[in-house]
DNA sequence: CTATAGTGATTAACAAGGCAATCAAATGCA
DNA sequence: TGCATTTGATTGCCTTGTTAATCACTATAG
């Protein structure tokens, strides 16, 4: 029996990492985050805090479990992040009146100002991306990603 | 036709987080990683270590800078991960002969066995995804992501 | 009403992400 | 040859990711 080292074995082989969806999603995301992180570093704010800020601004007083889901964060991370952001005066937290386990988070004026300060740059980046990537492909990609999010394996 | 698609308040506004590409990429990735992480937890291995293992297996003796690029890790993270994986006997590291700054990493038999142990499950997951998502959309998504990776903003 | 289980949020402990500084080997140049 | 510069890798410091355990409060059964 000659050893077959790089051939298909009974267990088979994996796809090339070039066609691995998790890796491709990660690599694509890095393309976007590099300039975005640079933009946010001016305000000493992480990409996670930026996501939280946007979600809270978008959906008004909102409970933490919902923020976590929409900003793709786990609750333990969110706890720490909210504490820091509240200390920085970007957010407000108040415990619920009916159910005192819940707390509702809303954006402060300072938080709104921080968003305003980055809107122009953010939209510029988006426009540049749309130009280089193509509006058609952009929308198609967003549609496919939205479809993928809904799948449960 | 009916005016602006997107109404602007004084100072402007951001896109909805539903159409934010970085967030969409993250959410879509979560869909995939949930079952994958569960699979890997059997072997006490993180998704990062799994990526490293696959890259090293795929590209033979390879230097760390290259691993970092292909597995989407920063060098400092990789240093720690490789140290742990070497301790676990999944990888081998040897200093380069020409350039003694470089070190070349290769997979061990134990590492290869770990991959073999998960190939079936991994391919099953991929097949299920392809079935639920559609082969056509799948390939289109991979093509779009590959295109996006190449853009420099 | 009390014991119990369930839910939202937090804490603890450790792995990994991210940035800056550093080390060691190699390279370029006067 | 000397010495600054560059490059591959590491370390330190802090934040975030991840899991399990816990706390505070609510809802439910007996």
């Amino acid at each position: 029996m000659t050893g077959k080292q790089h051939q298909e074995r009974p267990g088979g082989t994996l796809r090339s990492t070039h066609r691995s969806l998790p890796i491709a999603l990660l690599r694509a995301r890095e393309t976007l985050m590099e300039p975005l992180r640079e933009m946010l570093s001016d305000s000493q704010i992480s990409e996670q805090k930026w996501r939280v800020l946007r979600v809270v601004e978008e959906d008004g007083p909102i409970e933490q479990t919902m923020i976590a889901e929409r900003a793709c964060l786990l609750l333990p991370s969110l706890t720490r992040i909210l504490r820091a952001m509240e200390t920085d005066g970007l957010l407000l937290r108040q415990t619920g009146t009916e159910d005192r386990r819940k707390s509702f988070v809303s954006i402060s004026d300072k938080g709104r100002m921080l968003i305003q300060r980055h809107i122009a740059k953010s939209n510029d980046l988006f426009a540049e991306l749309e130009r280089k990537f193509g509006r058609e492909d952009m929308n198609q990609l967003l549609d496919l990603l939205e479809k993928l999010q809904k799948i449960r394996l």
Side-chain angles (χ1 to χ4, degrees), chain A:
Chain A
M1 305 288 266
T2 56
K4 33 184 194 175
Q5 299 182 337
H6 301 288
Q7 294 298 321
E8 291 208 0
R9 283 160 278 188
T13 62
L14 288 170
R15 267 155 297 114
S16 152
T17 55
H18 290 102
R19 299 303 275 181
S20 160
L21 203 41
I23 294 179
L25 288 164
L26 208 52
R27 289 178 181 155
R29 191 163 189 275
E30 275 312 296
T31 295
L32 303 178
M33 291 316 301
E34 200 179 310
L36 207 48
R37 268 194 282 265
E38 191 187 358
M39 170 186 99
L40 295 174
S41 71
D42 297 344
S43 300
Q44 303 278 47
I45 198 174
S46 66
E47 47 169 311
Q48 292 84 350
K49 289 178 181 173
W50 180 246
R51 289 206 301 277
V52 169
L53 207 56
R54 290 188 58 177
V55 165
V56 171
E57 194 253 10
E58 190 168 279
D59 288 348
I62 179 177
E63 52 188 297
Q64 297 186 201
T65 306
M66 193 56 66
I67 299 177
E69 183 185 326
R70 312 223 330 137
C72 280
L73 293 167
L74 296 180
L75 271 172
S77 295
L78 188 62
T79 293
R80 290 182 298 236
I81 289 173
L82 290 179
R83 184 165 44 214
M85 293 177 77
E86 194 180 16
T87 300
D88 290 349
L90 299 171
L91 298 177
L92 304 169
R93 253 192 303 187
Q94 50 194 44
T95 40
T97 49
E98 307 176 16
D99 188 337
R100 290 159 48 81
R101 287 170 303 187
K102 298 182 181 178
S103 67
F104 289 86
V105 181
S106 42
I107 193 167
S108 71
D109 288 342
K110 186 173 176 187
R112 258 184 283 267
M113 286 195 315
L114 198 157
I115 289 186
Q116 286 297 321
R117 204 176 310 136
H118 292 292
I119 281 185
K121 180 69 179 173
S122 172
N123 286 340
D124 283 355
L125 280 174
F126 185 82
E128 188 184 352
L129 178 63
E130 206 171 42
R131 189 171 53 73
K132 288 185 178 165
F133 192 52
R135 172 180 296 240
E136 220 27 66
D137 282 356
M138 181 83 171
N139 285 322
Q140 197 162 29
L141 178 55
L142 281 166
D143 290 342
L144 286 168
L145 291 173
E146 207 162 341
K147 179 181 174 188
L148 180 53
Q149 282 171 47
K150 290 176 184 152
I151 290 180
R152 286 298 162 260
L153 289 177

